[in-house]
Amino acid sequence: MDAGVPAHRGDPLAEQRAMARSAAVVDRSHRGVILVSGEDRLSWLHLLVTQHVAELPADTGTEALILDANGRVLHHMVMAHVAEAVALVTEAGDVPELLDYLRKMVFWSKVELRDATAELAVLDVVGPETAGVLGEAGLPVPERPLAATGLSGGGFVLRMPWPGPDAAEIVVPRAEAQSWFIRLSDAGARPAGTIAFEALRVEAGQPRVHLDTDERTIPHEVGWIGSAVHLSKGCYRGQETVARVANLGRPPRMRVLLLLDAGDEELPVPGDPVLRDGRVIGRVGTVVQHHELGPIASALVKRNTPAEADLVAGEGDRAAPARIDPDSMPADPGEPPPGRAAQLRGGLR
């Protein structure tokens, strides 16, 4: 999924350390960009995506999903409302399918859609010194996470809450991407590759569609409720499943961070099974070498899996003993969800 951009710049672990302790810049120009303009852009998008965007202020970003009719995740996007248009930044391979779906849903709405991937490229600065790097490079510094500022030559800067302690997504004209990369490097950001970015993303618990999700994944399982799904809105495909799980039950699986005891051996790959006592209880997602934790993996496992369980991630030569990082376990709400609580008060089983 990250073909076409550098995986590293010579030392992936040092690049991770720079992201964690200072700042690094990553070429993510393989990302896809769709632009939505027109006076109905917000009200129209509000009917299609999982996030509440009907009144998304100018110079503001968010995250959102597109679900199927059963509430399963199809697409994830970072959104930015800048210069009277909404940019949807997503996986490049998803752009044709996503754009086709959006166009089919236009009907009489006053919106215009276009694939802007050939026009715009994505760079990311990650690390606690992100703000200083942006300022030194002559870029605006949005004051808070998910605040955005447009650029005079096209594109924008969007302050991000992940994958590191601070970050910014910088969308620039594609013809200028390399010059901006150099400029950001000269401003103090260490050049880095996607391996380092992905390692911090996994550590931060931020899922990535198609790697950390499968054809059955619902948003509750991977932690997208809140950041990408607004529970107080309806009117989008798959909303019934989202509301039912939120109000009546628990999702069947949970996303956790696995610590792998793999040494220098071959690591599992996305889609490999996670086993407990020889039985499959989940699937492996993104697998990375972390600069402090060693080999780690995002995984979807059955919700009743205890943190202390002895697990195996992968199969064949890729099988590795694994244990769950307890800090990655979803918090126990302590009480049943609202709908289930009402049932219990009424004596229903």
Side-chain angles (χ1 to χ4, degrees):
M1 292 176 65
D2 290 331
V5 292
H8 61 85
R9 303 279 178 164
D11 191 339
L13 298 183
E15 293 162 22
Q16 288 180 45
R17 288 192 287 271
M19 286 185 180
R21 301 170 186 173
S22 53
V25 56
V26 185
D27 178 356
R28 299 181 74 224
S29 58
H30 59 315
R31 299 280 284 166
V33 183
I34 295 173
L35 291 182
V36 183
S37 58
E39 62 182 88
D40 293 340
R41 61 190 179 276
L42 292 179
S43 58
W44 176 76
L45 281 167
H46 186 77
L47 298 175
L48 302 178
V49 304
T50 54
Q51 190 57 274
H52 196 298
V53 297
E55 299 174 351
L56 186 67
D59 300 329
T60 302
T62 189
E63 297 178 61
L65 308 173
I66 297 287
L67 308 179
D68 70 10
N70 294 311
R72 295 162 179 162
V73 177
L74 295 178
H75 304 287
H76 170 265
M77 64 200 76
V78 173
M79 305 174 65
H81 185 201
V82 178
E84 299 186 346
V86 179
L88 313 179
V89 181
T90 189
E91 301 289 345
D94 284 358
V95 167
E97 179 182 320
L98 177 56
L99 194 57
D100 180 65
Y101 169 69
L102 294 175
R103 283 173 172 158
K104 288 177 179 177
M105 302 304 294
V106 170
F107 301 112
W108 298 280
S109 298
K110 296 178 181 178
V111 296
E112 297 179 5
L113 306 168
R114 79 172 191 273
D115 179 359
T117 306
E119 306 168 32
L120 298 170
V122 179
L123 307 174
D124 277 78
V125 174
V126 182
E129 297 178 6
T130 291
V133 168
L134 296 178
E136 183 68 22
L139 287 167
V141 184
E143 293 184 357
R144 65 188 186 283
L146 297 177
T149 305
L151 301 178
S152 59
F156 55 88
V157 177
L158 175 65
R159 200 78 173 263
M160 291 294 293
W162 55 268
D166 194 3
E169 192 145 283
I170 305 158
V171 178
V172 297
R174 186 165 290 273
E176 302 174 13
Q178 183 59 28
S179 62
W180 274 113
F181 188 94
I182 295 171
R183 194 166 174 176
L184 290 162
S185 177
D186 290 343
R190 176 172 182 145
T194 56
I195 290 176
F197 185 94
E198 289 292 278
L200 265 70
R201 178 184 65 79
V202 172
E203 180 191 15
Q206 177 65 28
R208 185 173 177 184
V209 71
H210 309 315
L211 287 178
D212 304 316
T213 67
D214 59 16
E215 69 283 354
R216 297 184 293 118
T217 302
I218 59 176
H220 317 67
E221 294 178 322
V222 290
W224 267 324
I225 300 299
S227 62
V229 179
H230 196 291
L231 289 178
S232 299
K233 64 157 286 190
C235 302
Y236 61 88
R237 188 175 65 180
Q239 184 267 339
E240 295 84 359
T241 297
V242 170
R244 183 169 63 251
V245 174
N247 285 295
L248 295 176
R250 299 276 189 261
R253 299 179 296 178
M254 59 182 177
R255 174 183 46 76
V256 296
L257 178 67
L258 294 183
L259 307 175
L260 306 178
D261 184 10
D264 295 328
E265 300 173 9
E266 190 174 358
L267 294 176
V269 297
D272 272 355
V274 178
L275 301 98
R276 182 186 182 196
D277 297 329
R279 296 182 178 180
V280 176
I281 54 97
R283 74 179 292 277
V284 174
T286 310
V287 182
V288 295
Q289 285 280 1
H290 190 270
H291 70 105
E292 291 181 338
L293 301 174
I296 58 175
S298 177
L300 275 173
V301 299
K302 289 183 177 180
R303 173 160 284 276
N304 61 359
T305 306
E308 64 274 11
D310 292 325
L311 305 176
V312 174
E315 56 187 352
D317 292 339
R318 298 192 301 271
R323 58 185 176 86
I324 296 174
D325 179 355
D327 291 338
S328 72
M329 296 282 284
D332 184 353
E335 298 181 357
R340 180 58 179 157
Q343 288 181 341
L344 294 172
R345 286 195 299 271
L348 298 176
R349 296 292 178 184

